[in-house]
């Protein structure tokens, strides 16, 4: 698999560990920054990763901030991105099996290295099941336009 990774300052410290682990599994990982722990805005790095994943068909992303919340919300604003915030192996596996997630998000302040390894293993070892899930993912990709139905 090919991954792009981006963090904010609160996800920076664990990034080297994640890159090394992904490479130890035989996958490729490209670092989109930042290059230091200086304070940055997580939407900027979410968008860098999201755009790289969309531009490189079949690739995946990993985004990390303090909680994983802000950076996953921001990544999901990019059309075609399905970023899943996962803090356990079960949800990481299901994010691939049912949601065809193309970005894995988690919070450096939330999970330790052992859990991170198990999340990455689950994400990498699970295929999208397709079938009934394809239509649902298709509906996500169609988007929603709220107009008169909001009253
Ligand atoms: C930075 O302090 C923190 O707000 C950010 O990393 C993230 O947790 C936001 O969702």
């Amino acid at each position: 698999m090919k991954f792009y990774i981006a963090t904010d300052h609160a996800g920076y410290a664990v990034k080297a560990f994640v890159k090394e682990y992904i490479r130890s599994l035989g996958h490729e990982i490209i670092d989109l920054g930042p290059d230091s722990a200086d304070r940055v805005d997580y939407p900027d790095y979410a968008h860098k990763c999201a755009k790289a994943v969309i531009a490189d068909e079949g690739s995946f992303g990993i985004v990390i901030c303090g909680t994983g919340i802000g950076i996953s919300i921001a990544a999901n604003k990019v059309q075609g991105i399905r970023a899943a915030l996962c803090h356990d192996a079960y949800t990481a596996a299901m994010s691939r099996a049912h949601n065809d997630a193309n970005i894995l998000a988690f919070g450096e302040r939330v999970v330790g290295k052992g859990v991170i390894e198990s999340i990455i293993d689950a994400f990498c070892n699970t295929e999208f099941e397709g079938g009934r899930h394809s239509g649902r993912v298709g509906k996500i990709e169609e988007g929603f336009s709220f107009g008169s139905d909001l009253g």
Side-chain angles (χ1 to χ4, degrees):
M1 295 167 84
K2 182 176 180 183
F3 285 92
Y4 293 92
I5 187 167
T7 73
D8 73 354
H9 52 285
Y12 177 78
V14 82
K15 186 166 63 169
F17 171 81
V18 172
K19 285 162 59 178
E20 195 181 318
Y21 188 61
I22 289 281
R23 287 183 181 134
S24 79
L25 297 175
H27 304 301
E28 183 184 355
I29 187 156
I30 296 166
D31 189 344
L32 300 176
D35 299 324
S36 80
D38 292 349
R39 210 165 252 126
V40 292
D41 295 335
Y42 57 79
D44 297 336
Y45 286 89
H47 290 148
K48 272 180 202 268
C49 187
K51 282 187 274 180
V53 168
I54 293 301
D56 188 355
E57 201 179 336
S59 69
F60 295 89
I62 297 179
V63 292
I64 312 165
C65 66
T67 60
I69 296 172
I71 207 161
S72 57
I73 290 173
N76 277 316
K77 293 291 182 183
V78 175
Q79 177 73 39
I81 289 299
R82 293 175 299 281
L85 175 57
C86 301
H87 288 131
D88 59 73
Y90 176 72
T91 48
M94 294 305 283
S95 78
R96 290 288 308 126
H98 285 193
N99 312 114
D100 200 16
N102 48 16
I103 291 187
L104 170 65
F106 56 86
E108 178 185 295
R109 295 172 179 164
V110 182
V111 280
K113 290 180 177 171
V115 174
I116 290 171
E117 287 180 352
S118 68
I119 290 168
I120 290 171
D121 288 346
F123 192 87
C124 291
N125 295 330
T126 310
E127 299 278 339
F128 179 48
E129 287 176 10
R132 68 185 189 281
H133 303 294
S134 296
R136 295 165 184 165
V137 170
K139 286 187 176 185
I140 295 172
E141 293 313 318
E142 278 168 24
F144 304 92
S145 75
F146 298 107
S148 55
D149 57 334
L150 280 182

